[in-house]
Amino acid sequence: MECVVQGIIETQHVEALEILLQGLCGVHKQSLRIHELCLKSVPNLGLVASEIRLLCDLEQPEPTWTVRHVGGPMRGAGAEQISVLVRPMLESKVNKNALRLFNGLGYKLDHEQLRVGFAFHFQRGAQITVTVSSINKMLKLHATDEAVPVTPGIQLVEVTAPASSENYTEVVASVSSFCEYLAPLLHLSKPGVSTGVVPTAAAAAASLMSDGGGTK
C-alpha cells in the first residue's frame, strides 16, 4: 500500500519549492517525463470495472514500462481522522508490449497524459518521494511531442511513501510531519480534496529565492 497527499502550486513558484526541497532532502532532483496511459476493463471482465495505468519513463535512454494498479482508499473512523490517504497499490515492471497485452485481455485506453517535471527521493522517517510536474494532454493519440498543459501556470505536487498494514500509522506521521515544512508554499491534502493555491506562497517564494540566491 501507499500513503499519498497532493497539492498545486503556481509555476512561477516552482523554483522556490525546488530550493526548499533541496535543502530539506539533501539529495539531487531527478528529471521526470512520464507518459501515462489509463486503461479500463470492459464489462465482460467482471462485475466491477477495473482500472490500471501503464507508465512509460521517457527519461531513460531506452524507455522503460511499469504497470500500476491503485485500489480504493482505506475507510473507517481512523481513516477519516488522518490527513493522508492510505490505499492499496501494486506496481510491476513490464516490457514495451504491455499495451498490446492488456488490449488483448479486454482493457481499452480511457485517456493518456504526459507528466513533465522533477522528483526527489529520500529517507525521512519513511521512504518519501516528492514529485512536481505539469500535467499535459495529447492532441493526437500517443503524440507526446505535441502535448499541451491541461492547466497552464499550475503544477501538481505529490508526496508518496510505501507502507504496509503493520507500519502505515508511522508512515502517515512521517508524511504529515514533512508536509508541514512545505506549508508556506502549498497545502497538501488527500487526492480529490481541492484546497487551491496558498495565499502566502508569493511571500514565501520571494523569501526562499532571496535566501537561496535564485540558484538551483
Short mmCIF file of all heavy atoms in Angstrom, two decimals, residues 46 192 213:
data_model
loop_
_atom_site.label_atom_id
_atom_site.label_comp_id
_atom_site.label_asym_id
_atom_site.label_seq_id
_atom_site.Cartn_x
_atom_site.Cartn_y
_atom_site.Cartn_z
N GLY A 46 -15.63 -8.76 -15.63
CA GLY A 46 -16.05 -8.86 -14.24
C GLY A 46 -17.17 -7.88 -13.93
O GLY A 46 -17.50 -7.02 -14.74
N GLY A 192 -8.19 14.50 -4.49
CA GLY A 192 -9.63 14.74 -4.68
C GLY A 192 -10.17 15.83 -3.78
O GLY A 192 -11.29 16.31 -3.97
N GLY A 213 19.43 32.59 -3.26
CA GLY A 213 20.16 33.29 -4.32
C GLY A 213 19.63 33.00 -5.70
O GLY A 213 20.27 33.33 -6.71
#
